[in-house]
């Protein structure tokens, strides 16, 4: 599961960065996740159960562990494999939300977000996410070097254009940012 870090993403060679609660908690309140598909251990998992590196999330069916899946994968050079895995798993899950850099100019974004009919909604986040490094306590880190997005996958194929929304997670509620209709869909 661990890939060589991409120096441009400033991962400090670590894959255990955690999603801050101000991003995760509102999404979880809406979707009610039952699996963290990518956590190095219980200390960094946002949910229990979670899939750890020994089990290798890229090699197992996520539906064996949960049906409403949260995924904040490592942001190194292997990120394209996580996008492909999310695309492949979406049909067998009730809901899947992936938090990743909004690298909209990449081939993997095009193949596994734009062209994936299981993606119903992309929510771009403002400000840049301040990921948490385990052991930092209350230390506030600077925002990520790039913008991030929440990608909402659903087993039903979309019959309309992919929707995009913007969420200032420090000021606005997620429900207000995405709208009542999308919020209802996300909580099905």
């Amino acid at each position: 599961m661990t890939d060589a870090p991409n120096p441009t993403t400033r991962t400090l060679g670590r894959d255990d960065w955690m999603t801050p609660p101000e991003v995760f908690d509102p999404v979880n309140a809406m979707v009610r996740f039952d699996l963290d598909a990518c956590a190095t251990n219980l200390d960094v998992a946002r949910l229990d159960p979670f899939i750890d590196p020994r089990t290798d999330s890229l090699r197992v069916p996520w539906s064996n562990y949960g049906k409403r899946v949260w995924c904040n994968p490592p942001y190194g050079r292997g990120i394209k494999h996580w996008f492909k895995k999310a695309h492949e798993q979406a049909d067998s899950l009730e809901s899947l939300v992936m938090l990743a850099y909004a690298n909209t100019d990449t081939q993997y974004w095009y193949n596994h977000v734009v062209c994936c009919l299981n993606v119903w909604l992309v929510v771009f986040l403002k400000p840049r996410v301040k990921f948490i490094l385990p052991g930092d306590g209350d230390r506030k880190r600077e925002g990520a070097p790039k913008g991030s997005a929440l990608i909402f996958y659903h087993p039903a194929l979309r019959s309309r254009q992919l929707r995009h929304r913007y969420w200032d997670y420090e000021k606005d509620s997620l429900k207000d940012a995405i709208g009542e209709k999308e919020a209802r869909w996300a909580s099905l």
Side-chain angles (χ1 to χ4, degrees):
M1 193 161 91
T2 302
D3 295 299
N6 180 345
T8 62
T9 60
R10 296 195 316 231
T11 63
L12 303 178
R14 297 183 62 171
D15 287 339
D16 57 350
W17 292 87
M18 299 184 307
T19 308
E22 57 268 22
V23 173
F24 177 77
D25 291 349
V27 183
N28 186 39
M30 185 177 294
V31 179
R32 300 176 316 277
F33 298 113
D34 61 9
L35 174 68
D36 185 336
C38 186
T40 52
N41 58 54
L42 188 55
D43 293 334
V44 300
R46 282 296 171 211
L47 301 159
D48 189 8
F50 63 94
I51 301 175
D52 66 17
R54 287 174 295 144
T55 305
D56 193 349
S57 193
L58 291 174
R59 298 188 188 279
V60 298
W62 295 349
S63 60
N64 288 354
Y65 299 87
K67 294 293 184 187
R68 294 175 171 266
V69 178
W70 168 256
C71 183
N72 176 11
Y75 288 10
R77 294 186 193 276
I79 188 72
K80 65 185 175 188
H81 304 295
W82 291 95
F83 276 82
K84 181 179 184 215
K85 180 71 172 187
H87 186 164
E88 293 169 350
Q89 295 296 298
D91 283 335
S92 63
L93 302 168
E94 291 176 17
S95 186
L96 165 61
V97 180
M98 188 161 96
L99 172 63
Y101 284 144
N103 289 335
T104 61
D105 60 336
T106 62
Q107 191 64 47
Y108 63 80
W109 185 280
Y110 180 76
N111 291 343
H112 304 298
V113 176
V114 175
C115 292
C116 177
L117 294 178
N118 295 101
V119 175
W120 283 58
L121 178 66
V122 175
V123 179
F124 295 99
L125 302 177
K126 175 186 174 188
R128 290 183 179 180
V129 177
K130 295 175 180 81
F131 293 96
I132 301 166
L133 191 57
D136 265 1
D138 292 334
R139 179 178 173 205
K140 294 287 182 186
R141 294 215 170 245
E142 292 183 30
K146 301 177 184 181
S148 298
L150 294 165
I151 305 148
F152 287 77
Y153 294 81
H154 194 274
L157 301 179
R158 74 173 186 266
S159 59
R160 57 174 169 76
Q161 276 191 316
L162 177 59
R163 304 238 176 150
H164 300 89
R165 298 290 185 266
Y166 295 85
W167 177 34
D168 184 334
Y169 64 86
E170 291 184 335
K171 295 180 182 174
D172 303 321
S173 77
L174 178 58
K175 187 175 178 181
D176 289 344
I178 68 173
E180 184 70 33
K181 184 178 180 181
E182 300 293 350
R184 253 192 334 272
W185 166 83
S187 64
L188 293 176

